Amino acid sequence: MNTKTIFKQSAIAASFAVALLLGSCSGGNKGSENSSSNTTQAIEGEEIAVLTAAPNVPPPITRKHATKMIVKLEVIEKEMEMMDGVKYNYWTFGGSVPGLFIRVREGDLVEFHLSNHANNKLPHNIDLHAVSGEGGGAAATFTAPGHETQFSFTALNPGLYIYHCATAPVGMHIANGMYGLILVEPKEGLPKVDKEFYVCQGDFYTKGNYGESGLQQFNMDKALKEQPDYVVFNGQVGALSGDKSMKAKVGDKVRLFVGNGGPNMLSSFHVIG
């Protein structure tokens, strides 16, 4: 499969979680080893999911039972800052890039609502890689501006998964910022840590060159040639530096949820310090 086909049809990006102990070269709990039995658990009650913009993460799930988890996510096309003096018309899940972090528990019945803001220009949908089944909800959530769609799924397999818009051309929607992470916590829960953060890489393709001021538009030719002007964490240059730095104390145990929305570039994420 050639590069153009990959960009047009898919942006299946690897995502992973990292747990580390600041100020230490060794020690720490082993990661949770869980293999889902794919059996439906009894559903008790319901909750509205807490969704957060990067680098923040919703609080850990402490309940010991499966519930009906209601997720409400809105697609918003909005102009935001790529870097000082540079604007870009992002397509977003929840008004930020990456999209809002979704946290559910293994066995939860997820009732997913996707709305498309009335001021948007294009239809959108969502493909959640945590969904077992073809398309990850994409067919059920094709949503015109000013409308809302809904579908339900059982979170069968614990893990950290990418989600993205799957409206054609898929690569273009992803390259404009339509990706995020969904965590399905194992029913036993995750080892306790002091801090959790959300980091997601993406590559952007603009008419102007890197740093060229003003409102920049998407450039399909550069995207097809895999020639990004910006490869960034959390949607913009400097999103994790200066006043926006992720902060922890020496000795804190930190968990990072790290993803790569793409659509083209690999991520070699690593922590120094």
Side-chain angles (χ1 to χ4, degrees), residues 148-219:
E148 178 180 306
T149 52
Q150 175 188 328
F151 81 109
S152 296
F153 68 94
T154 300
L156 295 175
N157 299 301
L160 182 64
Y161 301 91
I162 205 82
Y163 69 78
H164 61 86
C165 185
T167 300
V170 178
M172 179 180 179
H173 284 247
I174 294 171
N176 280 316
M178 299 198 75
Y179 52 82
L181 293 181
I182 175 171
L183 173 67
V184 180
E185 280 203 36
K187 56 181 178 290
E188 297 86 357
L190 294 172
K192 186 177 180 180
V193 295
D194 299 296
K195 294 285 184 70
E196 292 182 325
F197 297 108
Y198 172 22
V199 179
C200 201
Q201 181 178 302
D203 34 286
F204 292 85
Y205 306 82
T206 57
K207 293 288 186 182
N209 294 324
Y210 177 87
E212 190 169 322
S213 62
L215 178 61
Q216 295 297 320
Q217 302 298 327
F218 172 75
N219 187 310

Side-chain angles (χ1 to χ4, degrees), residues 61-263:
I61 294 173
T62 58
R63 55 183 161 80
K64 302 302 181 183
H65 61 272
T67 194
K68 178 180 178 181
M69 183 68 84
I70 301 171
V71 178
K72 297 183 179 182
L73 189 60
E74 183 179 32
V75 175
I76 303 172
E77 300 169 9
K78 60 185 296 190
E79 182 181 310
M80 297 190 294
E81 189 175 79
M82 177 73 74
M83 64 181 298
D84 288 343
V86 180
K87 300 286 187 178
Y88 190 79
N89 187 30
Y90 293 85
W91 301 350
T92 78
F93 286 110
S96 66
V97 176
L100 302 183
F101 195 101
I102 304 169
R103 191 169 199 158
V104 301
R105 177 190 179 275
E106 178 186 0
D108 281 352
L109 174 62
V110 182
E111 180 182 290
F112 200 99
H113 299 252
L114 185 72
S115 59
N116 192 352
H117 195 281
N119 293 338
N120 291 347
K121 296 179 180 179
L122 297 171
H124 298 283
N125 63 5
I126 193 166
D127 176 353
L128 298 129
H129 289 199
V131 174
S132 299
E134 184 178 358
T141 57
F142 186 79
T143 313
H147 293 267
E148 178 180 306
T149 52
Q150 175 188 328
F151 81 109
S152 296
F153 68 94
T154 300
L156 295 175
N157 299 301
L160 182 64
Y161 301 91
I162 205 82
Y163 69 78
H164 61 86
C165 185
T167 300
V170 178
M172 179 180 179
H173 284 247
I174 294 171
N176 280 316
M178 299 198 75
Y179 52 82
L181 293 181
I182 175 171
L183 173 67
V184 180
E185 280 203 36
K187 56 181 178 290
E188 297 86 357
L190 294 172
K192 186 177 180 180
V193 295
D194 299 296
K195 294 285 184 70
E196 292 182 325
F197 297 108
Y198 172 22
V199 179
C200 201
Q201 181 178 302
D203 34 286
F204 292 85
Y205 306 82
T206 57
K207 293 288 186 182
N209 294 324
Y210 177 87
E212 190 169 322
S213 62
L215 178 61
Q216 295 297 320
Q217 302 298 327
F218 172 75
N219 187 310
M220 177 65 85
D221 185 57
K222 288 181 180 179
L224 292 174
K225 293 177 180 177
E226 296 190 4
Q227 296 174 346
D229 298 278
Y230 300 87
V231 180
V232 296
F233 292 120
N234 290 359
Q236 62 177 190
V237 176
L240 296 175
S241 61
D243 293 339
K244 301 175 183 177
S245 297
M246 298 179 290
K247 296 179 174 62
K249 299 176 182 177
V250 173
D252 279 353
K253 187 177 292 184
V254 177
R255 180 178 291 118
L256 302 180
F257 296 105
V258 181
N260 183 10

